């Protein structure tokens, strides 16, 4: 009876470990997929994006949480696309504007890049930093870890 119980526990723990590692691997794969999509979007902006001047139209109030949490305004930029329609872009890539930014942003020369197929999809290249490669590398390590653990668990 105890031999059956120990065999059952061993099989059950192997199945639970396998399911957990498969979920970890799926999370790593999702991280790689998100990074890859961000990389493709970055390439579209680099190759197809049109650069136009933008001017500060105001600020949108935000409250940022986490490390260095604070609240303030994000810059709202006005630009005119190729179809001669004025559009607004909330510059999330800038973050919340501090005291220094409020003094210097109105005098800055700002250029915005937008995609011709969707002029509302825009970003300020000088303020944007991509996390695509970080997501791809970390997701790849997570997938490799899960794969090596799965192989080791079933040997």
């Amino acid at each position: 009876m105890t031999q059956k119980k120990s065999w059952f526990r061993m099989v059950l723990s192997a199945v639970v470990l396998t399911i957990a590692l498969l979920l970890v691997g799926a999370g790593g794969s999702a991280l790689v997929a998100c990074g890859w999509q961000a990389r493709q979007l970055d390439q579209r902006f680099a190759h197809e994006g049109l650069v136009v001047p933008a001017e500060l139209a105001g600020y949108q109030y935000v409250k940022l949480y986490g490390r260095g949490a604070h609240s303030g305004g994000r810059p709202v930029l006005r630009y005119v696309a190729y179809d001669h329609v004025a559009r607004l872009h909330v510059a999330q890539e800038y973050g919340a504007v501090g005291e220094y930014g409020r003094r210097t942003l109105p005098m800055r020369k700002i250029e915005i890049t937008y995609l011709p197929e969707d002029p509302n999809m825009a970003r300020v290249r000088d303020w944007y930093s991509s996390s695509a490669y970080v997501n791809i590398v970390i997701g790849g390590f997570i997938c490799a870890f899960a794969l090596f653990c799965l192989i080791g668990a079933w040997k």
Side-chain angles (χ1 to χ4, degrees), residues 30-129:
L31 200 56
V32 169
C34 287
W36 189 258
Q37 283 181 335
R39 181 183 172 277
Q40 287 178 326
L41 186 60
D42 291 346
Q43 287 182 333
R44 283 187 60 205
F45 269 103
H47 297 302
E48 303 169 19
L50 299 176
V51 180
V52 294
E55 63 184 28
L56 184 66
Y59 300 97
Q60 180 186 60
Y61 181 78
V62 292
K63 189 167 187 132
L64 302 176
Y65 299 97
R67 203 167 137 208
H70 63 286
S71 59
R74 282 196 174 132
V76 178
L77 306 173
R78 182 181 302 116
Y79 65 99
V80 178
Y82 70 93
D83 56 2
H84 305 291
V85 175
R87 290 182 165 75
L88 294 177
H89 171 69
V90 178
Q92 295 179 2
E93 58 270 27
Y94 188 88
V97 178
E99 195 62 38
Y100 176 76
R102 285 202 186 270
R103 284 194 315 268
T104 60
L105 268 178
M107 295 172 278
R108 260 195 203 167
K109 179 185 170 198
I110 302 170
E111 290 184 332
I112 199 163
T113 306
Y114 70 92
L115 294 177
E117 310 86 56
D118 185 7
N120 292 317
M121 186 175 275
R123 63 172 63 151
V124 179
R125 189 181 310 171
D126 293 342
W127 300 340
Y128 179 76
S129 65

